[in-house]
């Protein structure tokens, strides 16, 4: 049996729409072995598809196909800690989990670039799948089906505070609200900020982050799909966040805060209480530099 640990991801990071993403220390686990049937279960009570339609199964099947290997069936046990359809890379975790487990079971025929490419091909967004595989902060460009990427480790005491609403928002819907065209001025606005974000994070120039996460390509449109988003952003800034942005396609909002700021989370939690958002959750996270880890457990 192979066990895979896959981190959640937070894509876009404000201005880096479809190009920047990072991994955080919230993990899904996938146990997998070959079998003569399809046996899929979850240990955490979440409903998961138990047929070959299961995304982990499909991703493993795809890797077998790429390698010209026949797959009769799989036993899969999922442990899902990443909330689904919330902008924290739960689909990427399934895809990367299935690919990494299958690759290990076949003796690792695919190298890193192949895995990055295959994951992106299945998911469509390398800014989510690539950090799930590699960890750290990733810059990824998809060009004619090939992913050009750089992973950089982030060594800082920053915390990422995820405010997770109690409703789902599909990536499809969150992309439908985006305009087909943007102005030259807006494109320039984002380009400069996306570049500023990575450099500032890696150099420790956190005072730049507030400007760097500002964006004109997706957040203004997606904010309208997330009720109370404006208030949460404003309160997080009032409480001293370096930056706040919509994680991936949303609806999760991520606040980047100083590692030593002990009161931030309790104050934000009280605020959600004031707004009567009792079903919303807060996760205190940090950046994961390891990416997906695979081990053979029996
Ligand atoms: N960059 C993608 C988006 C992430 O914002 O739509 C979702 O997978």
């Amino acid at each position: 049996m192979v066990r895979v640990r896959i981190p959640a991801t937070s894509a876009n990071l404000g201005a880096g729409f479809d190009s920047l993403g990072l991994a955080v220390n919230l993990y899904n686990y996938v146990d997998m072995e070959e079998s003569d049937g399809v046996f899929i279960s979850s240990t955490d009570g979440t409903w998961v598809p138990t047929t070959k339609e299961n995304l982990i199964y499909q991703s493993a099947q795809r890797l077998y196909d790429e390698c010209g290997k026949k797959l009769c069936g799989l036993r899969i046990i999922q442990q899902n800690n990443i909330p689904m359809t919330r902008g924290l890379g739960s689909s990427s975790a399934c895809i990367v989990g299935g690919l990494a487990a299958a690759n290990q079971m076949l003796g690792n025929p695919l190298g890193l670039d192949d895995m990055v490419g295959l994951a992106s091909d299945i998911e469509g967004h390398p800014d989510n799948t690539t950090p799930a595989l590699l960890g750290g902060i990733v810059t990824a460009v998809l060009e004619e089906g090939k992913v050009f990427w750089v992973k950089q480790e982030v060594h800082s005491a920053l915390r990422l505070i995820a405010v997770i609403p109690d409703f789902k928002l599909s990536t499809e819907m969150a992309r439908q609200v985006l305009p087909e065209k943007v102005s030259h001025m807006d494109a320039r606005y984002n380009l400069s900020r996306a570049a500023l974000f990575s450099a500032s994070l890696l150099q420790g120039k956190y005072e730049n982050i507030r400007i760097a996460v500002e964006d004109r390509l997706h957040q203004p449109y997606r904010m309208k799909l997330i009720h109370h988003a404006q208030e949460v952003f404003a309160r997080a800034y009032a409480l001293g966040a370096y930056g706040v942005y919509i994680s991936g396609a949303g609806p999760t909002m991520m606040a980047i805060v100083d590692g030593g700021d002990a009161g931030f989370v309790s104050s934000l939690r009280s605020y959600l209480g004031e707004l009567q958002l009792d079903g919303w959750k807060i996760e205190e996270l940090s950046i994961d530099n390891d990416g997906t880890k695979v081990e053979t457990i029996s």
Side-chain angles (χ1 to χ4, degrees):
M1 181 80 97
V2 164
R3 173 165 293 169
V4 186
R5 186 188 83 168
I6 317 103
T9 55
S10 185
N12 299 330
L13 308 176
F17 180 60
D18 276 0
S19 51
L20 293 180
L22 51 75
V24 291
N25 64 341
L26 175 65
Y27 303 102
N28 276 5
Y29 293 83
V30 174
D31 291 355
M32 185 186 285
E33 65 185 359
E34 284 193 14
S35 165
D36 50 11
V38 179
F39 304 100
I40 303 174
S41 58
S42 83
T43 57
D44 54 289
T46 3
W47 179 85
V48 294
T50 54
T51 65
K52 288 184 179 178
E53 298 302 304
N54 180 291
L55 189 52
I56 299 173
Y57 191 101
Q58 290 196 339
S59 304
Q61 176 76 64
R62 175 73 187 271
L63 189 134
Y64 270 65
D65 292 345
E66 292 286 328
C67 296
K69 299 284 183 190
K70 185 171 161 41
L71 179 62
C72 295
L74 289 172
R75 179 180 301 280
I76 297 172
I77 304 167
Q78 301 181 218
Q79 186 186 320
N80 304 300
N81 299 312
I82 306 170
M84 292 186 192
T85 330
R86 296 295 202 287
L88 288 167
S90 60
S91 308
S92 290
C94 289
I95 291 164
V96 167
L99 291 177
N103 200 37
Q104 175 87 356
M105 290 186 323
L106 292 178
N108 293 308
L110 296 195
L112 210 49
D113 270 321
D114 292 330
M115 294 288 278
V116 166
L118 200 48
S120 162
D121 202 37
I122 298 171
E123 215 266 353
H125 301 115
D127 52 328
N128 255 335
T129 48
T130 318
L133 257 172
L134 307 175
I137 181 170
V138 168
T139 309
V141 172
L142 185 58
E143 176 69 25
E144 294 185 0
K146 181 171 163 51
V147 182
F148 294 82
W149 57 269
V150 171
K151 169 213 169 164
Q152 289 164 291
E153 292 194 4
V154 185
H155 297 285
S156 87
L158 287 180
R159 287 181 305 148
L160 280 84
I161 310 302
V163 180
I164 308 171
D166 59 359
F167 58 90
K168 297 182 177 186
L169 178 54
S170 72
T171 300
E172 194 187 358
M173 180 185 278
R175 292 183 86 87
Q176 270 171 13
V177 298
L178 305 182
E180 280 190 12
K181 293 188 177 161
V182 296
S183 70
H184 194 278
M185 194 187 279
D186 287 353
R188 187 175 64 215
Y189 183 96
N190 268 62
L191 274 176
S192 53
R193 281 164 178 75
L196 185 70
F197 186 93
S198 299
S200 301
L201 186 68
L202 291 160
Q203 296 267 314
K205 288 201 76 163
Y206 303 140
E207 70 275 17
N208 288 346
I209 287 179
R210 183 163 187 165
I211 294 299
V213 294
E214 293 291 322
D215 145 77
R216 290 186 181 166
L217 299 188
H218 68 113
Q219 293 188 137
Y221 309 97
R222 290 174 166 176
M223 291 288 266
K224 296 173 190 149
L225 304 175
I226 308 168
H227 60 90
H228 295 299
Q230 304 277 9
E231 290 121 297
V232 170
F233 269 55
R235 182 55 65 105
Y237 277 125
L239 291 170
Y242 287 122
V244 192
Y245 64 90
I246 296 174
S247 181
T252 292
M253 290 158 272
M254 197 70 95
I256 303 174
V257 306
D258 196 272
D261 188 347
F264 184 90
V265 169
S266 54
S267 301
L268 197 58
R269 196 165 270 132
S270 306
Y271 184 58
L272 295 186
E274 278 172 39
L275 295 175
Q276 299 187 317
L277 300 173
D278 300 329
W280 291 33
K281 293 202 173 102
I282 294 183
E283 290 273 1
E284 296 183 55
L285 304 167
S286 54
I287 295 173
D288 165 287
N289 284 311
D290 298 329
T292 292
K293 285 183 160 297
V294 187
E295 59 175 334
T296 300
I297 52 174
S298 60

